[in-house]
Amino acid sequence: MLLMRPRLHSAQAQFSSYQGVADSGDGSVASRPIEQTEEQNTAILRTYKPRTPGVRHLKRPINDHLYKGRPYLALTFSRRGQHIGGRNNTGKVTVRHRGAGAKRRIRVIDFNRKEPGRKLVERIEHDPGRNAHIALLSHMTGRTTQYSYIVAPQGMRAGEWVESFRAGIPEQLMRELGGNPDAGMLAAKTAFRGNCLPLHMVPPGTTIYNIGLRKNGPAQLCRSAGTFATVVSKNDGHPQYSDYVDVKLKSGEIRRIQRDCCATIGVASNINFNRRQLGKAGRKRWLGIRPTVRGVAMNASDHPHGGGRGKSKGNVHPVSIWGQLTKSGFKTRKKSNVNQFVVSPRPRSEGKKAKKAKKKRENR
């Protein structure tokens, strides 16, 4: 049996500005933003001695804080059914290149967080069904302890306390702030890492994740590892959009979202996930992802690019397996179905025709 000894490897990465834990004086633990240093602004990846070809190029983020045991069984269910192989309820393949993979259980994540009250972070766990880490929360209801899973923010550790303010501001907090606090005083008591707030309670410039799109709906945006958004404007006093908050997504798009939608303070955890290297093809199969075959390598009956002698696609434009154009600036988005809540679309790369037209305008 071969043992792999881990080594450390540095690379550039981006860290969340919400880190650290502060004692609030009453024995509770609250998160607060601290300044990051240049030494913290490096990603640490774990590499291994190349004792086998499969570990020579293997690189993983260091997550030694993750819980090593099994998940809380009551919040999981088995992953079974035809959908595992990319098939729908009639047995037809609707998603290609899916199948097999390691056996796993689905974790039930609380994306609504409507229940008020402070909750203790018991541990941070790995979730095989997503790339971000999850946190197991506990709170007492009478004599019983209730548990729930949430997507953990970057920097969260066991022993911290989090709270949801979707149901409103607690009466005790209102008395502490004098009954009618301003937005700044309220944010100083509520806008901590891991807390869930309505968007109108989040200060401008704050990084958030797990953002909802409907007033009483669950979180839908910025749920994968390392993603976040920034509150740009609250539109206070605007005659038409005072009920909406402008949020800038990581893609650069500015989206208008209803002010009572939920958002969690911080950045989704496991920010170095995109820097990992699997090291071998078999590890991809363990994840349930099957190989992708080029159309040129297929037969003519299986793909428009197939058949012929040599590596030739028959002098046709690049198309998908269903015959739809895939390159040369072919657009698939309908112009009639424009999202009215997009204030500013994400920046897109220009095609050859657009670049030519732009160059002509500049030369005139």
Side-chain angles (χ1 to χ4, degrees), residues 170-200:
E171 295 181 1
Q172 181 181 355
L173 181 59
M174 288 294 290
R175 288 195 298 268
E176 290 179 5
L177 298 176
N180 190 18
D182 61 356
M185 294 173 59
L186 194 59
K189 291 287 187 179
T190 59
F192 294 135
R193 175 184 57 203
N195 285 359
C196 183
L197 289 77
L199 275 174
H200 65 86

Side-chain angles (χ1 to χ4, degrees), residues 228 248-254 345-348:
F228 63 92
K248 185 176 183 180
L249 305 179
K250 199 172 182 181
S251 63
E253 176 183 302
I254 298 179
R346 61 182 173 86
R348 292 179 171 86

Side-chain angles (χ1 to χ4, degrees), residues 108-174:
V108 180
I109 309 295
D110 181 15
F111 287 112
N112 286 290
R113 298 190 66 179
K114 293 184 177 180
E115 191 172 0
R118 301 170 72 245
K119 297 184 179 182
L120 175 66
V121 179
E122 295 285 346
R123 61 199 186 208
I124 309 296
E125 298 183 12
H126 165 73
D127 185 356
R130 68 188 69 251
N131 48 26
H133 299 149
I134 58 177
L136 180 65
L137 308 182
S138 67
H139 68 284
M140 296 293 295
T141 54
R143 295 185 178 180
T144 60
T145 304
Q146 300 288 338
Y147 294 92
S148 61
Y149 277 126
I150 65 168
V151 177
Q154 181 68 19
M156 175 176 279
R157 297 294 182 267
E160 297 186 20
W161 292 84
V162 295
E163 191 171 356
S164 175
F165 296 94
R166 291 196 72 176
I169 305 171
E171 295 181 1
Q172 181 181 355
L173 181 59
M174 288 294 290

